[in-house]
Amino acid sequence: MSRAAIRFDNVTLGYDRRPAVHHLDGEVAKGSLTAIIGPNGAGKSTLLKGVVGALQPLSGKIGLAEGARSRIAYLPQAAEVDRTFPLNVYDLVAMGMWSARGLFGAIGRADRARIEEAIAAVGLAGFERRPIGTLSGGQMQRSLFARLLLQDASLILLDEPFTAIDEKTTADLLNLVRRWRDEERTVVAVLHDLDIVRRVFPQTLLIAREPIAWGETDSVLRPENLLRARRMIEANDPFALVCDRA
Amino acid sequence: MYELLAAPFVEFDFMRRALFGGIALALGAGPIGVFLMLRGMSLTGDAMAHAILPGAAIGFLIAGLSLPAMTIGGLTAGVVVAILAGLVTRYTALKEDASLAAFYLLSLALGVTIVSLRGSNIDLMHVLFGTVLALDDAALILITSIASITLAALALLYRPLVMECVDPVFLRSVSRAGGPAHLIFLGLVVLNLVGGFHALGTLLAVGLMMLPAAASRFWSPDVTGMILIATAIGMVSSAGGLLMSYHAALPAGPAIILVAGMAYIGSLFFGREGGLIYRLVPGRHLEA
């Protein structure tokens, strides 16, 4: 058993043979907090999709710690939930019980207590019966974090969790991230706010289609690295040749 | 009152059978309609209803107005079109609604042509608009079996069906049940349409599915409530439509759908969940 929660082995991910993430090597240690940063179009979300298994690598291999595939919790970028669906906060959060109860398992009294607890932990007590269509952006994100809490996952992937979220909500949700760290869960989050990265995430991966730097946050966030990332070309060369790097 | 509401059913066997068939249909079609609507597939139901026609027509061509032949034909055609439309959407640039519209026009024209090859205009009317007043034992058993299968299957698939509507990415991240659940659901849609087709014909079968479902959206803020309300509206429409057709000498199938349609329009105006009147005259705003 290695200490790695995720191992990238010369991974290239992309769409239609065009790479969005190029030749990534490295490990995310178990129980670590890792931020993924980089400009728009750098391949950050693509990388998470690869880890979840929603996207097969074009080449290379993504290895997960034993049995981890079933214990991943993934929070995609905000837009994915159909907010017009007639569903209340309680039921949305209760979906997090899927990993424990599956298709047919009954939600018992203890489970209901856990659901109430998760809703309270994100500060939404009293909102259980509110339709999700009436929630603000911040409240919606809180509910989704409550669902993550219930998933009891060993690896938690967050895609821009604090975009368009106010300071108070961000601070509350960051406390949950710290709680996950204390429970020795692995958290990987795509972020844009470098201030949050410095404060909360000890490890950082800076990518711009290719990995620019990966390691201790302070050493990654040096001006020369950030500048290199910013120079990344939004390449979509119609005459691109087949990549022959090993 | 008795004369108006009960006497027709007490006196006439065919009215009782029609009422029984209508109630059984509503049991299955109500929940199916709600899920079709929530999944944004209201028109899919319509298209599949038409898709059944050529299959049923081929059954008719081979065996005349025979229940098993037309059922098997309709089921086959429905499944084939559902799969074809799915494939066209997945592998070509055409969006699903366009490919469904294409299939449904084709099916309708093909079906009518096939029926006309052998039958009279009366046969054609049977196939298009059903024979709710002439349901025999076999047809009733078929309809009730379909309703039972539907309710059992929906109970089993409830979680993945709801989750796939709300948050498909989440469902995919925790389970592979989404795909199979969707296929089984499409199968249930076809089954219910074939059941409805014997009573209401291919053109109106989908009416008892979508109209109560659309009406229920105006009364309930959650899925369970919508399913119960849609089923109830379907049942009441069946009874109301049959009574209307009896007293006013109207064709029974269209009368049932008309009553369901009135329930929809009434809900549209008076519904508590976003009905028109509630929207226009919301009352003064609250403190918090």
Side-chain angles (χ1 to χ4, degrees), chain B residues 116-141:
Chain B
S116 310
L117 280 183
R118 172 165 159 182
S120 62
N121 273 344
I122 294 174
D123 293 325
L124 186 61
M125 292 294 276
H126 272 194
V127 177
L128 290 180
F129 300 107
T131 48
V132 67
L133 296 181
L135 293 174
D136 56 14
D137 285 351
L140 286 182
I141 290 172

Side-chain angles (χ1 to χ4, degrees), chain B residues 55-57 59-60 64-75 127 194 197-198:
Chain B
F60 170 77
L65 285 172
S66 125
L67 181 86
M70 290 170 79
T71 303
I72 293 169
L75 276 180
V127 177
V194 169
F197 144 78
H198 291 292

Side-chain angles (χ1 to χ4, degrees), chain A residues 132-143:
Chain A
I132 56 174
T134 66
L135 298 181
S136 72
Q139 290 164 339
M140 187 67 197
Q141 201 67 348
R142 283 172 190 264
S143 334

